[in-house]
Amino acid sequence: MMGAVLSLGVIAQSGPSQFLGTIVNGVSLGAIYALLAMGFVIIFKATQVVNFAHGALATLGAYFTAVVAVDLNFPGRYIQGSPVLGWSISVMVALVLSALVGMLLERIFVRPMVGEELFSLAIITLGMHIVLLTVVTDLIGPDPRSIADPWGDARVELGFVIIPQTQIAQFVAAIALMLLVGLFFRTRTGVAMRATAFDQEAARAQGINVGRIFAIAWAIGAVLATVGGVFGSVYPRRVGVFPDTALLAMRAFPAIILGGLDSVGGAVIGGLVVGLAESLAGSYLNQPLFGTGFSGIVPYLLMMIVLFVRPHGIFGTGEVRRI
């Protein structure tokens, strides 16, 4: 109670500018969590596998972006005078590479284990995470790798709030991807994926190529992880790709639990709620009463509260699974 009263007092004293800035930052952080959580959920819905390698995929995808945009400077060396267009194409090339890696991982490590215990599949993805992260850590090296985004630390003033241009680009990209995912589930392949998620054997009996659906799900998951990793590696979050970019995915995990492990819409809402809670706690609760690292544990406190009250999440189904 004392904490709540103190927080309300701090909010009243901080003024609208800081409060709106905190909200914008929370929505921005939540959008990153939502993208990562959607990747988790799509892979889980299609294959019933909790992909613990998601964070390593996010780091690898961000590293691909650094290689294409900086080391290869493709297509920047051919497109002069339009850095946003050149960088956007570089990211798309990195997304294609990430999708191929996702499909390859699914084909080599996951598909042969179909029908085995879910616990075994979860351990397989843990092994994939360790191998991928070790490899990408060696590739990144001792220093962070810049991904050369065209906005840098430029900001735009909108009334009471100043917004980094990277966050505006992130909002646009996140909304576009969420709409695309929503449209995808209305396509023939998307309906087949939903049928596979409902009952793999029945879907196979109806002529659905379940293996192809698995590959597409992993490709989409890798793409969403990469976008989350890229926007987690630019100002104001970080400047460059670090090996611990993978931790972003673990910080997005409470969003999945909050929204429901099998709900794409729940992943979006859960991501935004967790991002806002973390941002508000960082601005108003990191007082001496709570400690400087309190905002970092807020998502996990939310996750535990939801697990106590509604173990399958707010929008998830109540089916019990052992992982």
Side-chain angles (χ1 to χ4, degrees), residues 209-254:
N209 187 336
V210 174
R212 177 171 166 269
I213 295 298
F214 284 4
I216 292 172
W218 273 78
I220 295 174
V223 165
L224 292 172
T226 295
V227 177
V230 167
F231 281 115
S233 303
V234 297
Y235 179 83
R237 307 284 164 219
R238 308 286 289 272
V239 181
V241 184
F242 294 76
D244 64 359
T245 299
L247 293 177
L248 266 178
M250 293 309 296
R251 287 166 60 190
F253 205 75

Side-chain angles (χ1 to χ4, degrees), residues 51-257:
N51 177 25
F52 288 106
H54 210 60
L57 282 172
T59 309
L60 183 65
Y63 170 75
F64 281 154
T65 303
V67 170
V68 176
V70 179
D71 297 355
L72 302 179
N73 191 19
F74 177 83
R77 67 176 68 184
Y78 307 111
I79 300 177
Q80 302 295 330
S82 183
V84 174
L85 177 61
W87 188 78
S88 299
I89 296 176
S90 297
V91 173
M92 289 181 189
V93 173
L95 294 181
V96 171
L97 293 174
S98 298
L100 292 175
V101 169
M103 294 170 73
L104 191 65
L105 291 174
E106 184 277 330
R107 189 68 185 85
I108 294 175
F109 297 108
V110 177
R111 201 177 304 181
M113 296 293 291
V114 171
E116 300 294 336
E117 293 289 333
L118 293 179
F119 175 77
S120 302
L121 282 162
I123 296 300
I124 288 281
T125 64
L126 271 176
M128 288 161 49
H129 171 78
I130 294 170
V131 171
L132 279 177
L133 196 56
T134 302
V135 171
V136 78
T137 297
D138 287 341
L139 291 172
I140 291 172
D143 300 317
R145 297 290 298 267
S146 168
I147 61 176
D149 70 279
W151 301 284
D153 59 357
R155 294 178 288 179
V156 176
E157 184 172 353
L158 299 174
F160 287 107
V161 65
I162 298 174
I163 304 176
Q165 291 186 8
T166 50
Q167 289 189 335
I168 295 174
Q170 177 192 321
F171 291 142
V172 173
I175 291 171
L177 283 171
M178 289 171 190
L179 290 175
L180 283 174
V181 169
L183 290 174
F184 168 76
F185 280 108
R186 295 177 181 275
T187 65
R188 188 179 181 86
T189 303
V191 172
M193 185 175 289
R194 289 160 60 189
T196 304
F198 184 73
D199 191 325
Q200 291 181 8
E201 293 304 320
R204 189 176 282 110
Q206 293 298 315
I208 294 174
N209 187 336
V210 174
R212 177 171 166 269
I213 295 298
F214 284 4
I216 292 172
W218 273 78
I220 295 174
V223 165
L224 292 172
T226 295
V227 177
V230 167
F231 281 115
S233 303
V234 297
Y235 179 83
R237 307 284 164 219
R238 308 286 289 272
V239 181
V241 184
F242 294 76
D244 64 359
T245 299
L247 293 177
L248 266 178
M250 293 309 296
R251 287 166 60 190
F253 205 75
I256 308 164
I257 302 301

Side-chain angles (χ1 to χ4, degrees), residues 25-35 170 178 237 267-268 270-276:
N25 180 63
V27 173
S28 164
L29 183 60
I32 295 175
Y33 289 161
L35 291 172
Q170 177 192 321
M178 289 171 190
R237 307 284 164 219
V268 175
L272 293 175
V273 169
V274 168
L276 279 169

Side-chain angles (χ1 to χ4, degrees), residues 254 257 297-310:
I257 302 301
I297 65 172
V298 164
Y300 301 98
L301 292 177
L302 274 176
M303 180 181 73
M304 287 188 283
I305 292 170
V306 170
L307 282 174
F308 281 130
V309 178
R310 195 173 170 86

